[in-house]
Amino acid sequence: MAWYYILLIVLACILVLVGLLFLFFITNGDGKMIEKMYDMLSKYHDNKDNDDKI
């Protein structure tokens, strides 16, 4: 009977993960995250000292 509870827990975890990924997709979370990372990297590279020696 222990295998039944283990299977139930695994299925519940998979269902929760799929639900969270669906919510992330529906709310355009991936685009918002990419936009924030792009802005952060842009600020970092704009403030970085350039060494023009070639």
Side-chain angles (χ1 to χ4, degrees):
M1 199 67 163
W3 64 270
Y4 178 75
Y5 292 117
I6 293 171
L7 183 64
L8 190 63
I9 290 171
V10 169
L11 288 176
C13 290
I14 291 172
L15 184 65
V16 167
L17 180 64
V18 168
L20 287 174
L21 288 173
F22 180 74
L23 184 65
F24 191 70
F25 175 73
I26 290 297
T27 60
N28 196 22
D30 53 343
K32 292 175 186 176
M33 181 181 65
I34 289 171
E35 181 182 3
K36 288 184 182 189
M37 288 176 58
Y38 182 82
D39 290 341
M40 183 177 63
L41 288 171
S42 178
K43 286 179 186 176
Y44 170 75
H45 286 288
D46 287 344
N47 293 332
K48 196 166 104 172
D49 291 335
N50 291 339
D51 199 10
D52 291 337
K53 295 179 185 174
I54 296 178

